[in-house]
Amino acid sequence: MEPTDTELIAAVRKGDVAQFEPLIARYQPRVFATARRYARREDEIQDIVQEVFIKAFQKLDSFRAEAPFEHWLMRLAVRTCYDFLRAHQRNRETTLTDLSDPEVDWLERFAASPADNSKNTDAARALVERILAQLSPEARLVITLLEIEDRSVKEISQLTGWSVSLVKIRAFRARAQMKKILETLTREKYL
Amino acid sequence: MDLEKLQQKLMAIAKASPPSEQVPYAFEKRIMARLTAPLAVDVWAVWGRWLWRAVAPCMSVMAALGVWVLATMHPEPESQNLEQAIENTLLSGDDVAGE
């Protein structure tokens, strides 16, 4: 029978560092998936995951087992991803001419028939990634958690450490920011 | 173009394609190696840290000395005759050369 998280954490706290490895093995798929929502390059993703587990190891004494270890770890992961976004803010200005041909095709097909646009979801995914990359770090985090992961405002508040009202304000601003980016992307050709 | 619908459509596509949970081979070993590696002491970093710590005391000593010098300085009485003082100053070189 596999040891529980609590048993492993207790062993690590007593100085048996090797017991941290099963914890990493258990939760790294979820941390990788979270990191992949915010970073694209594989080396950046691996850096984020590594940082999450190193922080978890260093802060393990502050884990009070009031909530499952996984929740505590995912809070660390989300905050590390947010730090990554803030540290890697790039030039977010873009125009329709920056879009690839499949992305433009997808938009054209959507403009022609908004209801039927099931083809080439790869292009649509690339478009989503392009739009998310232009959002501010706060906006990207909120849109990802709220709209893509379907989390509640309360959950986002717990994950990010922001107050509920701050999450609501940031969600409102994020939606407005996203709308503005979509307007910019489509203005030249469709409006 | 209906931007509201476009946004909903794009979000639905993003929702429908969750990121992969794939983990590189033996990634946990890499993290464990990092955690258990002995700490390498960076001498220059330590030296730099001590230098930064020394900045505040050095500035305090410098300021205290400056105040002390200003407080104990006795300004020389101004010469009554400015013309004579300038002449003495200008010709002091000649006096030295003449000796």
Side-chain angles (χ1 to χ4, degrees), chain A residues 129-148:
Chain A
E129 180 52 45
R130 187 184 290 281
I131 292 161
L132 289 176
Q134 289 171 58
L135 292 170
S136 67
E138 294 81 15
R140 181 169 182 165
L141 192 70
V142 168
I143 290 285
T144 305
L145 295 170
L146 198 66
E147 305 280 351
I148 300 176

Side-chain angles (χ1 to χ4, degrees), chain B:
Chain B
M1 188 186 287
D2 187 342
L3 294 179
E4 196 63 42
K5 271 191 178 170
L6 175 61
Q7 186 171 333
Q8 283 171 7
K9 186 95 185 173
L10 290 171
M11 289 299 105
I13 287 166
K15 221 180 278 185
S17 47
S20 155
E21 290 196 346
Q22 201 182 340
V23 176
Y25 176 71
F27 192 76
E28 66 277 13
K29 303 272 179 213
R30 198 189 307 179
I31 298 173
M32 287 310 291
R34 180 84 191 272
L35 288 174
T36 52
L39 280 176
V41 179
D42 184 349
V43 178
W44 287 110
V46 174
W47 172 243
R49 214 163 28 242
W50 278 105
L51 277 183
W52 276 112
R53 280 182 194 174
V55 167
C58 288
M59 293 293 277
S60 311
V61 169
M62 195 178 78
L65 282 173
V67 169
W68 179 71
V69 167
L70 284 174
T72 55
M73 200 168 62
H74 301 293
E76 287 182 17
E78 280 185 27
S79 173
Q80 295 294 319
N81 188 344
L82 183 62
E83 192 182 326
Q84 188 62 45
I86 291 170
E87 195 173 290
N88 287 345
T89 307
L90 289 174
L91 297 175
S92 62
D94 288 345
D95 292 342
V96 173
E99 287 171 4

Side-chain angles (χ1 to χ4, degrees), chain A residues 46-58:
Chain A
Q46 290 183 14
D47 284 349
I48 291 172
V49 176
Q50 185 169 295
E51 199 180 329
V52 169
F53 282 107
I54 288 173
K55 274 186 194 170
F57 180 79
Q58 289 167 344

Side-chain angles (χ1 to χ4, degrees), chain A residues 1-189:
Chain A
M1 192 179 156
E2 282 190 9
T4 63
D5 290 353
T6 315
E7 287 165 351
L8 291 169
I9 291 165
V12 177
R13 278 176 171 164
K14 279 180 189 165
D16 188 359
V17 178
Q19 294 305 310
F20 196 63
E21 192 175 327
L23 280 173
I24 300 173
R26 196 171 287 173
Y27 294 111
Q28 59 183 353
R30 279 211 63 193
V31 180
F32 261 98
T34 301
R36 285 192 177 108
R37 289 223 185 259
Y38 304 97
R40 291 185 77 181
R41 284 186 7 222
E42 197 55 29
D43 61 323
E44 288 176 337
I45 293 164
Q46 290 183 14
D47 284 349
I48 291 172
V49 176
Q50 185 169 295
E51 199 180 329
V52 169
F53 282 107
I54 288 173
K55 274 186 194 170
F57 180 79
Q58 289 167 344
K59 295 181 176 182
L60 205 57
D61 284 335
S62 69
F63 171 66
R64 276 173 284 171
E66 288 162 353
F69 175 72
E70 188 179 359
H71 293 188
W72 182 79
L73 186 69
M74 293 320 289
R75 268 205 300 276
L76 267 183
V78 166
R79 288 171 195 187
T80 307
C81 289
Y82 177 54
D83 291 342
F84 168 82
L85 288 177
R86 284 200 299 177
H88 292 78
Q89 281 195 71
R90 297 187 186 96
N91 180 16
R92 300 198 299 268
E93 288 296 316
T94 191
T95 63
L96 195 63
T97 51
D98 295 329
L99 297 180
S100 68
D101 289 343
E103 288 166 11
V104 174
D105 286 349
W106 190 91
L107 276 174
E108 280 174 352
R109 269 189 282 112
F110 177 83
S113 169
D116 177 36
N117 206 34
S118 52
K119 286 179 187 170
N120 202 356
T121 45
D122 283 346
R125 273 197 292 269
L127 200 56
V128 171
E129 180 52 45
R130 187 184 290 281
I131 292 161
L132 289 176
Q134 289 171 58
L135 292 170
S136 67
E138 294 81 15
R140 181 169 182 165
L141 192 70
V142 168
I143 290 285
T144 305
L145 295 170
L146 198 66
E147 305 280 351
I148 300 176
E149 291 187 11
D150 266 340
R151 291 181 188 270
S152 68
V153 170
K154 198 179 168 191
E155 270 181 291
I156 297 171
S157 166
Q158 286 167 350
L159 279 167
T160 55
W162 302 336
S163 66
V164 168
S165 51
L166 184 60
V167 173
K168 285 179 183 169
I169 291 167
R170 285 187 166 165
F172 176 77
R173 286 181 188 157
R175 286 190 184 114
Q177 215 181 97
M178 195 157 175
K179 199 174 170 194
K180 207 173 168 186
I181 290 166
L182 286 173
E183 272 172 12
T184 313
L185 279 172
T186 54
R187 189 185 298 133
E188 290 173 28
K189 209 160 185 173

